[in-house]
Amino acid sequence: MATFELYRRSTIGMCLTETLDEMVSSGVLSPELAIQVLVQFDKSMTEALESQVKSKVSIKGHLHTYRFCDNVWTFILQDAQLKSEDFQENVGHVKIVACDSKLLTQ
Amino acid sequence: MATSSTSNVYVHVIEDVVSKVRDEFINNGGPGDSVLNELQGLWELKMMQAGAILGPIDRSAMHKAAPGVPITPNPVHDLNVPYEGTEEYETPTADLLFPPTPLQTPMQTPLPGTARTPLPGTAQTPLPGTADNSSFYNIPTGGTPITPNEYSSALDNGGVPEMKGGAGRPSPYMQPPSPWLNQRPPLDVNIAYVEGREDGERGASHQPTTQDFFTLPSGKRKREDFPPQYHTGGYIPQQDGAGDVLSDDLEVIQGSNTRYDSVNSNQQMFVLGGKLSSMIPQFDGPIPDPYDDVLSTPNIYNYQGVANEDYNIVNTPAPNEIQAATPAPLPLNDTGDDDEDEPLNEDDDDELDDVDQGEDLNTTHLILAQFDKVTRTKSRWKCTLKDGIMHINNKDILFNKATGEFDF
């Protein structure tokens, strides 16, 4: 089953990657097993986001850059405003990377 | 800093991952449970250091833990197995096991995944240089690499455009490929041409060169620079000029090939049935064998000493047009030639580029999600995202749905 490696770039994904890197470098863990862990992370993360998260967010801003390549949209926004029922944030510069949700179901 | 809800989700994910890979670690000669626990402990430690999860980790909320499970960040235990006992209990916390490691970001191991989603950084776009170069240069690889000098002499016809001749024919003024050139040794043109031999060879041999042969009053060629060795005893094929007529004078003139003054006879005699399409020998560089190569390489005309690297010229029409076009970029290039006087302004965009690259992770606000739909109306973009992680202002926020409205 294909997974989105997208979430490996998140904080949790980076922490996992760093941990695995350290363990592989020190020889405690084999690279193949590390890859399996990452793939499992992809699945678990995707599943958790679907099932455990219920919030809705709106994003507004000035689109500075847009790119669509390999079924991945990359937007760079400036002066973005993110709103949710819980919070509101303003950022001067944010990057959005989005994979096609239909690919997972193929 | 994460909210409690995101922290909970993260902890849940960690435990989910660990529990699902536990089999791999334990069975089939894997590294074992301890390594797995070490992995989890280290992972959670980093998360806490990054502020993504709030410690202490309240696992009792996550699952029905066995009583007595300490709330401090302990290695997780398998839910399906009764809590194991002191040994595990006494497993030191990650803090004890691993002194706080410097949070250096190791080189990201390019661990291949099953899905080839774009890796951090860039999407896999084809390199613009390689992809586009081929289209910028219409020069086929098999084209004739005629050197500019020789070619310009070949085309020196008083500035008349060289792309004459019918469609499908090369310019009469150019040097068509002469594959036959390699087929026969050059014949001495001064040798009286034997008729019998001529008949047999006429159709076959496109006698090479005729150096003087090209000093036609039409002024179409100047072949003085051709080596004299190419004087052959045979007829000299010629392709220029319309209405080439196969003349029987060929025989007459064969013996006097040195006399190239008689234009008409020269023009006529060396055209045999119009089939001598590749008869004009070419000595200025390698000759592409297929005749059509010459036709399909109009860019050859670019070689006229003008190193025209204007990539905007994709199609090369008649050479005279090209020559007309080249002066346009030249003035622009002239300003660049004086490197000392005028800066090339190469670095103007570097600062802009750094804007995107120079931010460290903490300040790079990032949203990772899946998109359902992305639309655009004029300059108004709308998108619907789902299942995303946002890292904004050093905070992690998760969402199930998001709508975006951007103005480009």
Side-chain angles (χ1 to χ4, degrees):
Chain A
M1 171 187 153
T3 61
F4 280 151
E5 297 177 15
L6 171 77
Y7 299 116
R8 298 184 193 179
R9 297 167 66 172
S10 63
T11 309
I12 181 173
M14 294 299 293
C15 290
L16 175 61
T17 308
E18 289 171 12
T19 306
L20 290 172
D21 279 350
E22 289 172 10
M23 294 177 76
V24 169
S25 304
S26 64
V28 174
L29 196 58
S30 68
E32 296 83 15
L33 199 48
I35 294 169
Q36 283 181 324
V37 173
L38 280 172
V39 171
Q40 181 57 52
F41 165 76
D42 293 338
K43 295 180 193 171
S44 297
M45 191 74 229
T46 304
E47 186 191 349
L49 284 174
E50 282 173 22
S51 57
Q52 302 212 348
V53 183
K54 287 291 176 272
S55 63
K56 196 167 181 316
V57 173
S58 89
I59 310 165
K60 283 187 180 17
H62 165 67
L63 185 62
H64 177 269
T65 305
Y66 60 87
R67 177 185 303 130
F68 182 61
C69 183
D70 292 338
N71 287 310
V72 177
W73 274 106
T74 304
F75 301 110
I76 295 180
L77 301 190
Q78 285 177 338
D79 302 326
Q81 210 181 35
L82 300 108
K83 273 194 201 165
S84 162
E85 56 193 22
D86 303 327
F87 69 92
Q88 179 171 338
E89 299 281 347
N90 292 312
V91 283
H93 181 274
V94 64
K95 182 183 211 175
I96 302 177
V97 180
C99 293
D100 194 347
S101 61
K102 300 181 195 56
L103 292 182
L104 274 186
T105 58
Q106 289 177 359
Chain B
M1 179 85 65
T3 64
S4 61
S5 61
T6 62
S7 175
N8 290 341
V9 172
Y10 283 160
V11 171
H12 172 91
V13 168
I14 293 175
E15 295 185 353
D16 188 40
V17 171
V18 168
S19 64
K20 293 206 170 125
V21 298
R22 185 172 295 273
D23 282 346
E24 299 293 327
F25 274 74
I26 295 178
N27 304 334
N28 302 327
D33 204 36
S34 60
V35 174
L36 182 61
N37 294 333
E38 176 186 341
L39 167 67
Q40 179 175 7
L42 207 50
W43 189 4
E44 289 170 351
L45 171 69
K46 287 184 188 284
M47 293 284 285
M48 277 193 279
Q49 286 174 341
I53 59 180
L54 306 174
I57 297 178
D58 184 10
R59 296 181 198 277
S60 59
M62 292 292 103
H63 48 263
K64 303 296 187 292
V69 175
I71 297 183
T72 57
N74 267 357
V76 75
H77 53 277
D78 191 358
L79 295 180
N80 295 325
V81 172
Y83 187 73
E84 280 194 17
T86 61
E87 193 172 322
E88 193 170 359
Y89 204 117
E90 287 169 0
T91 304
T93 63
D95 284 329
L96 295 179
L97 256 185
F98 310 104
T101 58
L103 267 189
Q104 61 204 5
T105 306
M107 295 292 291
Q108 182 133 14
T109 307
L111 299 172
T114 55
R116 279 284 118 202
T117 59
L119 296 177
T122 60
Q124 295 159 7
T125 56
L127 296 175
T130 57
D132 292 341
N133 277 342
S134 58
S135 64
F136 288 141
Y137 294 104
N138 272 340
I139 304 171
T141 55
T144 304
I146 300 175
T147 61
N149 287 339
E150 297 167 18
Y151 206 76
S152 57
S153 68
L155 300 174
D156 182 11
N157 54 9
V160 177
E162 269 106 17
M163 291 299 280
K164 270 200 185 162
R169 287 192 64 187
S171 160
Y173 307 119
M174 58 174 284
Q175 293 296 315
S178 47
W180 48 268
L181 183 61
N182 301 324
Q183 299 169 5
R184 295 188 155 272
L187 298 178
D188 186 0
V189 297
N190 291 321
I191 298 175
Y193 200 85
V194 176
E195 185 176 14
R197 188 182 72 189
E198 174 190 345
D199 285 337
E201 294 171 340
R202 184 180 309 178
S205 79
H206 306 270
Q207 299 313 319
T209 139
T210 57
Q211 171 170 351
D212 293 343
F213 177 67
F214 291 102
T215 56
L216 300 171
S218 62
K220 295 172 185 173
R221 288 189 193 77
K222 297 206 171 22
R223 287 285 168 238
E224 295 83 359
D225 53 345
F226 281 106
Q229 73 222 15
Y230 290 99
H231 274 186
T232 67
Y235 61 83
I236 300 170
Q238 175 177 354
Q239 288 189 322
D240 54 340
D244 290 329
V245 174
L246 179 58
S247 167
D248 288 339
D249 291 339
L250 182 67
E251 304 161 23
V252 173
I253 302 176
Q254 289 303 326
S256 61
N257 276 343
T258 54
R259 272 194 312 116
Y260 296 122
D261 298 334
S262 61
V263 180
N264 289 334
S265 60
N266 280 342
Q267 280 183 336
Q268 293 168 3
M269 69 183 199
F270 300 113
V271 177
L272 301 178
K275 289 305 172 195
L276 308 176
S277 59
S278 57
M279 294 185 302
I280 299 178
Q282 177 178 350
F283 309 106
D284 52 350
I287 300 160
D289 286 342
Y291 174 71
D292 287 341
D293 273 354
V294 179
L295 293 181
S296 61
T297 60
N299 267 356
I300 289 175
Y301 301 108
N302 270 337
Y303 288 4
Q304 298 185 25
V306 176
N308 179 19
E309 295 197 23
D310 187 346
Y311 293 178
N312 291 326
I313 296 182
V314 178
N315 296 317
T316 56
N320 61 338
E321 293 180 29
I322 296 175
Q323 293 172 10
T326 50
L330 281 180
L332 297 178
N333 291 337
D334 283 340
T335 60
D337 289 342
D338 300 333
D339 284 340
E340 298 86 10
D341 296 343
E342 298 203 20
L344 293 177
N345 299 333
E346 300 171 334
D347 301 325
D348 281 355
D349 292 325
D350 286 349
E351 292 80 15
L352 292 180
D353 290 340
D354 288 342
V355 167
D356 288 337
Q357 298 163 4
E359 304 177 9
D360 65 349
L361 287 177
N362 281 338
T363 60
T364 300
H365 311 290
L366 188 65
I367 300 178
L368 304 167
Q370 304 172 29
F371 69 87
D372 282 330
K373 189 193 296 187
V374 175
T375 62
R376 175 192 70 86
T377 303
K378 294 211 172 151
S379 68
R380 187 157 181 82
W381 288 71
K382 293 192 181 174
C383 63
T384 52
L385 309 176
K386 67 177 203 174
D387 300 343
I389 303 176
M390 302 197 293
H391 184 75
I392 303 286
N393 291 335
N394 249 336
K395 285 194 287 209
D396 269 21
I397 303 162
L398 310 177
F399 63 84
N400 182 243
K401 279 207 180 321
T403 58
E405 293 178 9
F406 320 132
D407 286 308
F408 180 65

